[in-house]
Amino acid sequence: MTTTLARFQDDFVSAIFGPSGADSSVASLVDQPGFAVYRNTIFKGCVDALVANYPAIEVLVGTQWLEGAAFEYARAQPPGDPRLLLYGRSFPEFIGRLGQAHGLHYLTDVATLDRLWLEAHVANDERPLDPHALAALDPHTLGELRLRPCASTRWAWFASHPAFTLWKTNRERQTWSSDTPWTGEGALMTRPAHAVDAAPITQGACAFLTACEAGLTLEAAAGAALQTEPGIDIGATLATLVASDAFASLSTACPASSPSPH
């Protein structure tokens, strides 16, 4: 690609999302009526993608508010990937800042769960851990095993808000219960049978998964979970995670002698 062509392309993109650059040929295009149509089409695509990617937020704040926020985001953060299904990685933080002014302090958390659902949905397929294979291992060496979360597994802990309940209630268009305790919640996204499944998860379970993702042994991961949530039932937590297809099969997990890939 020539320097002149590259400069023209950069100026063309800049003209779409903001003031036109120094290239005179771009300036002449901007003055044409068709350019405004082209620009509006691109922005509409960005806005429509963000509204589709954050359905719980749309229910929470309304379509008009979300479209306005999405338009401002598109002006500030143009897509870096032609696949608009993946657009808006930093959108949760962006609308969180906007929501602060309206007292919606939980917007970032709820939007993060919309994003995690999307990431779980589009992640690569991977064979999950077979519970029978895990049960067949020598229990005396189980603590040295390293399990890796599946590519489609996502989790997060939200200390300040009942983020999972807020997200699930709005995404599924349910009625919010006024007696819902306003306490921190966690969420786990997995993809059994090629469909995303979302479930609540404890802070200790989140710490356990994070430790496994870092390549730690099950013994070390259990220690991290207990430090985060004293009294957690490690056996029940592991059983729940395995049953949820949170971990990759043993054939792709990290063997005890291997260094952490993270």
Side-chain angles (χ1 to χ4, degrees):
M1 182 182 298
T2 66
T3 303
T4 301
L5 177 58
R7 185 168 60 248
F8 172 83
Q9 292 176 336
D10 289 341
D11 283 351
F12 188 83
V13 172
S14 296
I16 292 173
F17 291 94
S20 59
D23 193 297
S24 59
S25 58
V26 172
S28 65
L29 289 174
V30 171
D31 293 335
Q32 297 181 19
F35 187 85
V37 176
Y38 184 77
R39 172 190 281 156
N40 291 340
T41 300
I42 290 177
F43 274 110
K44 186 178 187 308
C46 293
V47 169
D48 287 350
L50 288 170
V51 171
N53 291 348
Y54 292 89
I57 295 298
E58 182 182 11
V59 176
L60 261 175
V61 301
T63 303
Q64 185 175 3
W65 192 96
L66 180 56
E67 287 179 343
F71 179 78
E72 293 303 321
Y73 179 83
R75 291 183 61 185
Q77 299 286 338
D81 190 310
R83 298 168 297 177
L84 290 180
L85 177 64
L86 305 179
Y87 183 45
R89 181 178 298 277
S90 61
F91 192 58
E93 292 76 18
F94 181 86
I95 63 167
R97 292 191 293 270
L98 296 179
Q100 292 289 335
H102 300 278
L104 304 177
H105 306 292
Y106 45 80
L107 278 191
T108 293
D109 291 354
V110 177
T112 295
L113 288 175
D114 269 341
R115 181 70 194 186
L116 293 181
W117 187 97
L118 178 63
E119 291 177 359
H121 174 65
V122 302
N124 292 333
D125 288 331
E126 194 166 22
R127 186 158 55 94
L129 174 64
D130 182 353
H132 299 292
L134 185 64
L137 297 176
D138 183 349
H140 296 94
T141 61
L142 191 61
E144 295 304 309
L145 182 68
R146 289 181 172 90
L147 295 180
R148 178 176 59 78
C150 280
S152 57
T153 302
R154 296 292 186 276
W155 64 94
W157 173 257
F158 305 95
S160 302
H161 311 113
F164 178 78
T165 303
L166 280 165
W167 174 80
K168 183 177 177 64
T169 298
N170 285 278
R171 189 169 179 113
E172 297 180 358
R173 298 180 181 271
Q174 300 173 351
T175 301
W176 175 260
S177 176
S178 59
D179 60 357
T180 300
W182 201 266
T183 57
E185 289 183 345
L188 172 68
M189 308 278 184
T190 55
R191 202 179 65 199
H194 306 291
V196 177
D197 183 47
I201 191 173
T202 70
Q203 187 176 12
C206 287
F208 186 87
L209 281 166
T210 299
C212 289
E213 183 186 40
L216 300 185
T217 64
L218 289 187
E219 182 178 3
L226 284 166
Q227 184 175 11
T228 302
E229 184 185 333
I232 184 175
D233 187 331
I234 298 298
T237 297
L238 178 59
T240 298
L241 293 174
V242 172
S244 300
D245 286 351
F247 294 110
S249 67
L250 290 177
S251 62
T252 57
C254 306
S257 59
S258 298
S260 166
H262 304 278

